[in-house]
Amino acid sequence: KITELWEFVKKPFVGHNRIFAACLAWVSMGVLWGKTRMKWDIITATHFAVSALATGGLTGPPVNKDGILPLEPAVFCGVFCLIGIPLFALTLAHFARVLVESHVVAEEKRAIFRPLERKEFDYAKSLCSPEDHMVHLSDFIVLQLLRMGKVNMETIDLIKTQFNILDVDGSKRLPQSICIQKDNSTLQNDTTI
């Protein structure tokens, strides 16, 4: 029972989601400081903690009669924001990535599993092996990369050009001795191809 509880408690602190736990802990520290040191209610303390990290800073500790922030709140707010604002930004960025990533994966799967249209088949059979009017694995992989938007035809043409440079005997195959060269003297480095 205790092992299961421990696994449940530590889950947010490991892996990709630990940034959420770190940000929550930092915001909680700000809320706790506002509640205990500033004697704010929970809503005001939460508003301070979140708005300070979101760089809005709408709620702040009171200033003295000269309009100066006392030392202890000034130091706390400075350190809280100095560390908290980048942490908050990273957390929001990670959250956005998590949201977008699932959408991107779904779109990629949709592109991969969508049946080939006749014009796509005709196009694919000429991508890598045009001599037999069949779609080979290499043709299919290139077509799927194009459909997913991972590459464009300029990139494919550049790769084909590089292959043709390495295929000195015209066999449409590259031996290991050509592919793995210590000085890479055969490889084309010119980006103007």
Side-chain angles (χ1 to χ4, degrees):
K1 214 52 165 159
I2 292 178
T3 306
E4 290 174 15
L5 179 63
W6 172 247
E7 290 299 319
F8 177 77
V9 168
K10 79 173 188 175
K11 194 172 191 175
F13 296 96
V14 295
H16 297 293
N17 295 329
R18 66 179 169 247
I19 189 82
F20 297 124
C23 188
L24 181 63
W26 199 255
V27 169
S28 298
M29 184 179 70
V31 171
L32 185 63
W33 179 82
K35 189 90 175 95
T36 58
R37 301 298 293 173
M38 295 290 104
K39 307 297 184 215
W40 291 329
D41 60 272
I42 192 73
I43 300 297
T44 305
T46 303
H47 187 256
F48 158 75
V50 173
S51 67
L53 298 185
T55 69
L58 299 175
T59 303
V63 294
N64 63 20
K65 63 182 173 161
D66 297 326
I68 298 173
L69 192 60
L71 183 62
E72 189 248 330
V75 169
F76 178 83
C77 289
V79 171
F80 184 71
C81 290
L82 185 67
I83 296 171
I85 290 172
L87 177 64
F88 192 73
L90 287 171
T91 304
L92 289 179
H94 182 70
F95 182 68
R97 186 176 61 85
V98 167
L99 287 178
V100 170
E101 190 174 344
S102 62
H103 174 71
V104 169
V105 168
E107 286 299 312
E108 287 176 351
K109 285 183 179 178
R110 224 181 330 275
I112 290 171
F113 295 118
R114 188 180 78 223
L116 288 180
E117 297 174 9
R118 177 70 185 176
K119 63 181 182 179
E120 288 177 318
F121 180 85
D122 291 339
Y123 180 68
K125 69 184 181 184
S126 66
L127 282 172
C128 300
S129 49
E131 58 276 343
D132 64 0
H133 305 290
M134 303 279 291
V135 174
H136 295 262
L137 177 60
S138 56
D139 302 317
F140 188 74
I141 290 171
V142 170
L143 178 66
Q144 292 297 13
L145 290 172
L146 287 166
R147 290 170 90 191
M148 291 186 305
K150 298 289 186 183
V151 296
N152 56 32
M153 273 314 296
E154 291 80 24
T155 304
I156 299 301
D157 289 340
L158 184 63
I159 292 169
K160 286 168 97 173
T161 300
Q162 186 63 40
F163 181 88
N164 290 334
I165 290 169
L166 295 172
D167 185 23
V168 291
D169 64 357
S171 67
K172 301 291 184 201
R173 294 183 175 162
L174 298 178
Q176 182 179 10
S177 61
I178 296 289
C179 293
I180 304 172
Q181 297 182 16
K182 292 188 184 205
D183 64 357
N184 288 329
S185 60
T186 312
L187 295 178
Q188 182 80 22
N189 277 334
D190 186 5
T191 56
T192 61
I193 295 177

